[in-house]
Amino acid sequence: MIRKVRFGNVTIPYSIIKSNRRKTSQITVDKDSVVVRTPSSKTTSEIKKIVDGKKKWIFRKQLEFQKQNSVILKPTYIAGSKLPYLGRNLTLKILKNKKTESVSLKKGMLIVSIKSKRSSKVLVKKLYQEWLMEKSSQIFTSRLNKISKKLKLKPRKIIIKNLKDRWGSATSDDTINLNMNLIKSPRSVIDYVILHELCHLKIKGHSDKFWQMVKKFMPNYDEQKRWLELNNVIVS
């Protein structure tokens, strides 16, 4: 469903995605689109009211994209293209006709070895994502343990998966979910998301008290938050 919102003389199109699983509404902005995700119960007029209330923010975000390219590029999985990892765009090198399939990092290059004599985007993507999951499990767990000690807050468990519409979440039973794609971000951004979700174990919602707690442990959290907003396109 495509709608439009006006900001001065500018008309901004946005798409609406409704879901029975959603409890809250969320607006995501990248250089190509504006997407509004809402619970199925929301009416068109209610959604329009939400968007109208955020149109200044939407316009500002789209201006930022026009002025500044995303730090992270969207992968194409073609040899010589770029694949994101820890805030860097690594050059993809594909080695064909190998005995085993693997992914390794060497001198700013991501080397994907495949058994086939011909490269396949589907296979390269699969191997890359499996490698990201392995790396995210190692790095996220290590960082979460370290940050947990500082906050004296420990989750019941951590779940890492390929989320489509959020970087992380904290559940009512003190489980922290983290998006595997977060491993494409700089380490400082990863720390921010982990810190953010750990703070939710103590304070639910985004009150002033919550943000004060985040700022106490990361005074420049706004910079990390902005990076995530500008690079939302990497979740694909």
Side-chain angles (χ1 to χ4, degrees):
M1 186 186 303
I2 303 294
R3 300 285 179 178
K4 294 181 179 180
V5 61
R6 289 189 63 84
F7 184 80
N9 296 323
V10 179
T11 300
I12 303 172
Y14 62 92
S15 58
I16 300 172
I17 299 175
K18 291 188 174 184
S19 171
N20 291 325
R21 297 172 62 186
R22 289 199 70 88
K23 295 181 180 180
T24 59
S25 298
Q26 179 188 50
I27 301 175
T28 56
V29 181
D30 62 39
K31 62 181 180 180
D32 299 314
S33 64
V34 178
V35 179
V36 183
R37 293 179 171 85
T38 70
S40 297
S41 58
K42 290 287 184 183
T43 65
T44 301
S45 60
E46 287 175 327
I47 295 171
K48 185 178 184 303
K49 187 175 180 180
I50 292 170
V51 175
D52 282 340
K54 291 288 186 180
K55 62 185 179 183
K56 185 175 180 179
W57 174 81
I58 293 170
F59 181 69
R60 188 177 74 248
K61 290 299 170 189
Q62 291 213 319
L63 278 181
E64 288 177 354
F65 276 112
Q66 292 173 15
K67 294 176 181 177
Q68 175 181 341
N69 293 327
S70 293
V71 176
I72 295 300
L73 302 174
K74 196 167 184 177
T76 61
Y77 305 103
I78 298 172
S81 65
K82 303 292 184 179
L83 289 177
Y85 177 66
L86 290 179
R88 300 168 60 199
N89 289 311
L90 304 174
T91 301
L92 170 62
K93 182 177 181 179
I94 301 174
L95 302 180
K96 306 172 189 176
N97 203 23
K98 294 296 178 180
K99 292 183 180 180
T100 59
E101 293 175 341
S102 64
V103 179
S104 60
L105 184 61
K106 187 176 182 180
K107 295 181 179 179
M109 298 187 74
L110 199 66
I111 302 171
V112 177
S113 299
I114 60 176
K115 294 179 181 179
S116 173
K117 293 181 180 180
R118 296 181 62 185
S119 178
S120 162
K121 291 183 184 179
V122 174
L123 177 58
V124 171
K125 180 179 181 179
K126 174 179 175 292
L127 292 172
Y128 170 62
Q129 290 187 326
E130 288 174 351
W131 182 78
L132 287 182
M133 178 60 80
E134 179 185 348
K135 291 296 183 181
S136 62
S137 179
Q138 294 170 1
I139 293 174
F140 294 176
T141 302
S142 173
R143 296 308 300 160
L144 188 141
N145 288 338
K146 187 170 183 177
I147 297 170
S148 291
K149 289 180 181 178
K150 287 184 179 179
L151 273 66
K152 297 180 180 178
L153 291 169
K154 190 173 182 179
R156 187 175 66 85
K157 66 177 177 178
I158 175 176
I159 298 174
I160 301 168
K161 50 189 175 182
N162 192 357
L163 301 172
K164 294 296 183 183
D165 60 354
R166 62 184 61 193
W167 295 106
S169 65
T171 66
S172 57
D173 67 349
D174 288 349
T175 294
I176 287 182
N177 297 297
L178 294 173
N179 191 332
M180 176 193 78
N181 289 286
L182 189 61
I183 197 65
K184 301 173 185 177
S185 318
R187 292 178 184 273
S188 59
V189 174
I190 294 171
D191 283 356
Y192 161 68
V193 174
I194 291 173
L195 170 64
H196 184 115
E197 302 309 335
L198 283 171
C199 288
H200 275 314
L201 298 184
K202 186 171 184 180
I203 305 173
K204 309 301 180 185
H206 296 98
S207 62
D208 288 342
K209 187 177 180 181
F210 170 82
W211 289 115
Q212 286 169 9
M213 183 177 180
V214 173
K215 190 172 183 177
K216 177 182 177 181
F217 293 96
M218 183 176 281
N220 68 336
Y221 79 87
D222 272 342
E223 295 176 19
Q224 322 311 327
K225 187 178 176 184
R226 183 172 179 273
W227 192 97
L228 287 173
E229 291 170 350
L230 287 175
N231 287 276
N232 202 36
V233 70
I234 73 170
V235 182
S236 58

